[in-house]
Every structure is written in structure tokens, then in C-alpha cells.
Amino acid sequence: MIKNSSSVTKTLILSACVLLSLFSLGCSKSDNKTSKVLQAAISPSIPPFTFEENGQVVGVDIEIFKGFCESRGYTYNLKAYDFQGMLGAVASGQADVAFSGISITPKRQEVMDFSNPYVENGWNLVSLTKRNIKITDLSQIKKYSIGFPTGAVFMGYIEKEWVPTGIYPINKVKLYPSMSEALTDLSNGNLDLVFVDSSMLLTYVNKMKMPLTSSYEIPYSDKLGFAFVKGSPIREEFNKYLAELGSEKILAMETKWSK
């Protein structure tokens, strides 16, 4: 287990370094050099979907994408961004596809096309276990600082659900390039709460042994999808592959990468 904030910080910083890397991987079953090369944008600090482990980028999304490429004869290049940059890469056409636990929202659907949903997740506000922060009423949230990556879907929820009723002001939200930086600030005592989805929390606690706990479970869930450029010619083929996998295999992947 990670037993102190310095070791948590060290782990997270090492993971964040992968954002500066460019990964070029072949996944075709053949050596056909004329096969289509897919440019994929990722943000590898979103476990269990896309994250760094032992110097490799792994996770549910990577496993799904590699399987798709192998079954269809594609090769691919993976390029790492912060979360907002990943979304921008596919929206601008710099990447053919983006994936790292991306929530499907109407606003995002205006500038990119999504696959069929493959995971549905709940949300949590998490804190350090030693802080023992327990929120029993939303009126308590104002006294805490809340953070998450820029571009994350959590901002839309706060704007829609909390701001109009005075539960939490936008100007108090702390935004970060990636989840790694947000969790580093949390471990250093510079942040009280971080928005994460339920799968991420399970991975942090069970697999990465981070001293985190859920302080409040948000009464909301969202659906995740792979994001493609508008009018993508491969999106439907990818949807066929998701159907071939089936929900049980995808759930098994999620369980594997979160333990």
C-alpha cells in the first residue's frame, strides 16, 4: 500500500510523465504495409481504462482497441495528451479516434461521433482516507475544495445541478491537466475532494493501493464511448466489434484492470 503522501506523489508524477510520450504500435495480424494506420489520442491517467503500468500503457480501452485492430487488420499510433488535448485532437481531426474513459455528452457529440456505449459508471467525490471526510448533506460541500481535469464531464454537472441552486460556485473548482495532478494535490493537502467515476475509484483503491475513500456518492451516472472524428468510416465497424465482444467480456476486462 502507498503509505504516505510523498510516495503517492512520486507514483502519480511517474504516471503523468507518460503524457509526454508518443507510442507507435503495430497490431495487424499480417505484415501488409498498405493497411490503414489509425491515429489514436489517449490520456493515460484514467484507470482502469487507459493508464501507465510498468512502463506500458494498459487498460480496458487499450485492450478493446488492440482487439479491434487485430481483428480488422489495422495498425495504429498512440499519442498521449492531457484530457482536454485528447478531446481537441479528435475534434480537430488530428486523430482518428480518442479513448480514455470518455463520457458521451450532447456537447461533445456536436464535434465528434461516438461509438455505442460500452461502460456505464457512477460518480464519487473522493478524499484521503486519513481525512475521513463524510458528506451527508450537499449543504456541507461548500466548505471543501473540489478538483478534476480540465474538460472532464464533471464540470457540466456542477454547472447544471449545483450552480443554479447555490450548492457550489464554479470559481471554487480547481482544474488540472490530468487526474494525476489532481490526486497529487489531494495527497499534498492542497485539495479536499476529487471527482472520479466508480471504476476509477475501485482501481485506485484495489489495484494501486491508494489511501482514498468515497466521501460522497453522486446520484448520477454516465455512459462511456470511443470518440471518432465526425463522419468516421470506421465507427460502425468498431460498433460491430463491441457487439462481438459483448457486455460480459467487457465487464471481465474492467474487473481485471481494476483489481
Side-chain angles (χ1 to χ4, degrees), residues 96-258:
D96 299 301
V97 59
F99 53 88
S100 290
I102 302 175
S103 299
I104 302 171
T105 69
K107 186 175 181 180
R108 290 173 180 171
Q109 287 176 313
E110 293 175 3
V111 293
M112 59 189 79
D113 288 337
F114 279 92
S115 69
N116 293 333
Y118 65 103
V119 169
E120 185 167 354
N121 255 321
W123 292 350
N124 290 267
L125 284 171
V126 303
S127 63
L128 292 178
T129 303
K130 66 182 181 181
R131 292 282 307 276
N132 195 33
I133 297 174
K134 296 298 179 184
I135 297 168
T136 57
D137 189 282
L138 283 176
S139 63
Q140 300 170 312
I141 289 184
K142 277 186 182 178
K143 63 182 180 181
Y144 298 111
S145 56
I146 296 175
F148 47 82
T150 301
V153 70
F154 310 122
M155 180 62 86
Y157 178 82
I158 291 175
E159 290 175 335
K160 182 180 178 181
E161 302 294 335
W162 288 359
V163 171
T165 54
I167 291 173
Y168 202 84
I170 284 294
N171 60 10
K172 198 173 179 180
V173 175
K174 293 187 176 183
L175 298 176
Y176 298 85
S178 75
M179 191 61 76
S180 296
E181 283 89 347
L183 291 173
T184 297
D185 246 12
L186 186 75
S187 69
N188 289 337
N190 299 320
L191 183 64
D192 297 318
L193 300 166
V194 175
F195 252 111
V196 301
D197 67 39
S198 54
S199 294
M200 292 176 73
L201 178 57
L202 285 174
T203 310
Y204 288 140
V205 174
N206 296 335
K207 187 179 183 68
M208 299 181 174
K209 308 302 181 185
M210 292 184 179
L212 301 175
T213 188
S214 175
S215 295
Y216 184 75
E217 186 174 341
I218 306 297
Y220 185 84
S221 64
D222 65 340
K223 296 178 180 180
L224 309 185
F226 281 61
F228 295 87
V229 294
K230 276 289 188 181
S232 170
I234 66 170
R235 184 182 65 153
E236 287 308 310
E237 193 64 29
F238 185 81
N239 281 335
K240 291 178 182 177
Y241 178 71
L242 288 179
E244 291 167 13
L245 279 179
S247 58
E248 289 188 6
K249 286 186 179 179
I250 293 174
L251 179 60
M253 291 179 192
E254 189 178 357
T255 300
K256 179 181 77 172
W257 290 111
S258 61

Side-chain angles (χ1 to χ4, degrees), residues 25-39 68-77 96 234:
L25 300 170
C27 62
S28 174
K29 288 184 177 179
S30 69
D31 294 325
N32 181 7
K33 294 182 180 180
T34 62
S35 63
K36 169 71 173 177
V37 179
L38 301 179
Q39 305 299 324
F68 168 72
C69 288
E70 289 171 356
S71 69
R72 268 60 177 180
Y74 287 107
T75 57
Y76 63 86
N77 295 322
D96 299 301
I234 66 170

